[in-house]
């Protein structure tokens, strides 16, 4: 038996890592299907300033969703391989700090893209 009562057994960590890998693969398949469906849908829209602005926002939001999911899966993988509670808390703290910065930057960029799209929709004088 280990000296640390809060140590996570290797068998549990192995199972958790396998589950994270399976979830990541399933999510990847879902995102591929969703991206393909969105691509078909946006290609059916007429080519104009409004639809091009919408596509830019949609593309960037999809990119951010993928980045955020990858960060979450990386966290899940780190948590699955953590040996004890202290390691888990350290991973969660780093993830929270990093993601808050990412979310702020992503919100700024999406706001800028939406503003540009709205500006392009204004009638030209």
């Amino acid at each position: 038996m280990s000296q640390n009562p809060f140590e996570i057994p290797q068998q549990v960590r192995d199972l958790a890592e396998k589950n994270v890998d399976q979830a990541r693969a399933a999510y990847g398949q879902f995102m591929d299907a969703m991206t393909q469906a969105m691509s078909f849908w946006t290609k059916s829209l007429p080519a104009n300033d409004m639809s091009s602005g919408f596509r830019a926002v949609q593309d960037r939001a999809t990119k951010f969703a993928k980045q955020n999911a990858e960060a979450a899966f990386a966290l899940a993988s780190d948590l699955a391989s953590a040996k004890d509670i202290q390691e888990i808390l350290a991973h969660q703290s780093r993830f929270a700090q990093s993601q808050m910065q990412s979310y702020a930057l992503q919100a700024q960029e999406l706001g800028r893209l939406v503003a540009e799209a709205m500006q392009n929709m204004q009638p030209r004088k």
Side-chain angles (χ1 to χ4, degrees):
M1 177 129 186
S2 92
Q3 298 289 69
N4 183 351
F6 299 109
E7 186 173 342
I8 300 166
Q10 183 63 46
Q11 297 89 342
V12 172
R13 288 184 276 153
D14 291 343
L15 179 61
E17 286 181 38
K18 181 179 176 183
N19 288 339
V20 169
D21 290 342
Q22 289 174 343
R24 179 180 277 151
Y27 177 79
Q29 290 174 344
F30 167 76
M31 283 302 291
D32 289 345
M34 186 189 75
T35 301
Q36 187 176 24
M38 287 173 37
S39 175
F40 288 135
W41 180 66
T42 55
K43 285 179 183 174
S44 69
L45 295 174
N48 57 37
D49 288 342
M50 186 169 93
S51 64
S52 67
F54 173 73
R55 278 189 203 104
V57 172
Q58 180 184 18
D59 290 346
R60 195 57 51 100
T62 300
K63 176 184 169 193
F64 289 154
K66 288 178 181 180
Q67 288 174 347
N68 294 336
E70 278 305 312
F73 281 120
L75 171 65
S77 184
D78 289 344
L79 294 176
S81 64
K83 293 179 177 72
D84 57 31
I85 297 295
Q86 289 176 326
E87 218 176 307
I88 288 173
L89 294 175
H91 288 308
Q92 287 178 324
S93 178
R94 278 192 301 274
F95 174 78
Q97 290 173 354
S98 172
Q99 283 306 108
M100 289 307 293
Q101 291 172 349
S102 291
Y103 293 151
L105 293 172
Q106 290 169 1
Q108 287 175 350
E109 187 163 351
L110 286 174
R112 181 185 58 75
L113 287 172
V114 168
E116 285 176 10
M118 296 300 288
Q119 194 171 36
N120 288 338
M121 288 175 40
Q122 300 298 322
R124 306 245 195 281
K125 292 181 182 182

